Amino acid sequence: MHQAHATPKAVRRQHDREIVSLAVPAFGALVAEPLFLMVDSAIVGHLGTSQLAGLAIASALLATAVSVFVFLAYATTAAVARRVGAGDLQAAIRQGIDGIWLALLLGGAVVALTLPTAPWLVDIFGASGTAAPYAVTYLRISSLGIPAMLVVLAATGVLRGLQDTRTPLYVAIGGFTANAALNLGLVYGAGLGIAGSAWGTVIAQLGMAGAYLFVVIRGARRHGASLRPDAVGIRASAQAGAPLLVRTLSLRAVLMIATAVAARLGDADVAAHQVILSLWSLMAFALDAIAIAGQAIIGRYLGADDPDGARQVCRRMIQWGVLSGVALGALLIVARPLFIPLFTSDPAVQDAMLPALLVVALSQPIAGVVFVLDGVLMGAGDGPYLAWAMLLTLAVFAPVALLIPTLGGGLTALWGAMTLMTTVRMATLWFRERSGRWLVTGATR
């Protein structure tokens, strides 16, 4: 349907169909990664408390390593989607292959750093004498899967850019199933303990990377794209990713400061904070799925020299973000009596959670706008602005959060500061969206 001759209602319906078809499978793929960890925790938890503590520390380190490199997916999605919009599928896939080569180089570097420094890294995280050996074992073995994990990120970006979020969902389901079966077989069947859990995860990750590479190589052959590493292309991928790395590190700093402040408020508060943070992260996955649709669709419109189409779909996605935020906030308030007892029976922790959860629920519509605009600007390749905006947000949040233990207000005040952080992000992103400076068209930005 050509937009120039379509009614506004028909255009809106077309946008809605496209957003849903990309966002729903993206959500499934996003949720697979934390489910991996939950299965590992459930299996290792039956080995003993020291093993579970070791897994928790090693997993936190691995999650940090992988989240730092999430720009491999974001930058690749935007660059590939632009070339799809411009009608050059060969260049789109070639761009994606450069991103995959960059992932392999970075993954190799991380493994080379992690293997010798594992005991030191575990020590920094404050592991107890009994948990540390298990943490080091798990970290060393699991680090061998990091190149595969980074290839999965970059290849996911390629497929999202090609407007395909279904394949990543199928690969995630396959990886999750294989991971659970391998963990059970190696931990208990082969009697390898925590090392078996790590090997099971590495094998599952290698399988996922292999599946992605098969799909990308098949696409490259079909469109005559070279598979050889290209230094110029790899450097361009790294340059596009650098500002997004700054943005991601600033966001990680916000979360680390929040956890450090919660730890200074007392045991009940930090326990409540951990539960709220996990719920907040789950809601973030739902909103991030819309953002991923935004990255893919906006990049394609701008590549096709259609700034009006990009602006229209951006407005529609903002409405989606607000409505999703309202729905998630309402669900959080209504379901409180059901899920709070699942996490804790301690009255002190429950009392700390209740008012803080209300603050989180009320902030969800703001978070919905933030996630959507973040995705829109990433799809437009507006990384440098996103980096500066997040650094400004961190500069506002840090002093406010660090004053909370002195000024009082407890966990509710801390989540008030988190809402301030979200509001500052919304203001910076909204200002950029209104300016129209992100609407740069063409096959490359």
Side-chain angles (χ1 to χ4, degrees), residues 109-413:
V110 174
V111 174
L113 277 170
T114 307
L115 288 175
T117 60
W120 177 72
L121 290 168
V122 166
D123 199 40
I124 286 177
F125 261 62
S128 68
T130 48
Y134 296 114
V136 171
T137 299
Y138 191 91
L139 182 59
R140 277 194 168 138
I141 297 169
S142 290
S143 71
L144 301 174
I146 287 177
M149 288 161 92
L150 300 192
V151 165
V152 165
L153 282 177
T156 303
V158 178
L159 295 179
R160 287 174 185 167
L162 294 168
Q163 319 293 298
D164 173 9
T165 55
R166 282 173 186 266
T167 304
L169 173 62
Y170 300 146
V171 175
I173 292 168
F176 173 72
T177 309
N179 179 58
L182 284 162
N183 264 284
L184 280 169
L186 294 171
V187 173
Y188 297 118
L192 293 176
I194 196 166
S197 175
W199 280 117
T201 303
V202 168
I203 295 164
Q205 284 158 349
L206 287 168
M208 288 170 74
Y212 274 121
L213 289 173
F214 172 77
V215 173
V216 172
I217 290 167
R218 196 179 58 187
R221 293 239 165 89
R222 191 181 308 137
H223 296 287
S226 166
L227 295 170
R228 281 201 294 275
D230 171 45
V232 176
I234 293 169
R235 199 177 308 120
S237 290
Q239 282 168 346
L244 296 178
L245 175 62
V246 173
R247 167 206 164 274
T248 304
L249 288 173
S250 306
L251 193 53
R252 293 296 300 183
V254 165
L255 298 176
M256 284 168 74
I257 289 167
T259 301
V261 170
R264 285 164 66 191
L265 296 174
D267 285 356
D269 279 335
V270 78
H273 175 74
Q274 202 49 46
V275 174
I276 294 170
L277 196 59
S278 62
L279 290 164
W280 187 77
S281 300
L282 186 64
M283 291 187 293
F285 284 128
L287 298 173
D288 208 19
I290 305 170
I292 285 166
Q295 289 171 33
I297 297 168
I298 294 291
R300 197 189 72 227
Y301 272 108
L302 294 176
D305 287 325
D306 186 359
D308 291 338
R311 207 186 262 288
Q312 277 182 0
V313 81
C314 170
R315 289 201 186 117
R316 188 60 183 157
M317 273 187 287
I318 290 170
Q319 291 168 354
W320 269 83
V322 172
L323 288 171
S324 302
V326 169
L328 287 168
L331 187 64
L332 196 63
I333 290 170
V334 171
R336 271 179 323 169
L338 298 173
F339 65 73
I340 289 179
L342 286 178
F343 286 106
T344 178
S345 54
D346 185 334
V349 178
Q350 290 187 357
D351 289 347
M353 273 178 75
L354 274 167
L357 270 174
L358 280 174
V359 174
V360 174
L362 292 170
S363 71
Q364 284 310 295
I366 304 170
V369 176
V370 167
F371 274 88
V372 166
L373 290 179
D374 209 36
V376 164
L377 296 182
M378 276 186 202
D382 205 8
Y385 182 83
L386 289 171
W388 284 112
M390 200 59 226
L391 284 169
L392 171 69
T393 305
L394 175 61
V396 173
F397 169 78
V400 175
L402 292 169
L403 279 171
I404 287 166
T406 314
L407 298 178
L411 195 63
T412 309

Side-chain angles (χ1 to χ4, degrees), residues 10-28:
V11 170
R12 218 172 31 244
R13 268 207 306 273
Q14 183 193 346
H15 288 157
D16 288 349
R17 269 200 305 274
E18 200 166 21
I19 293 164
V20 170
S21 70
L22 287 169
V24 172
F27 175 68

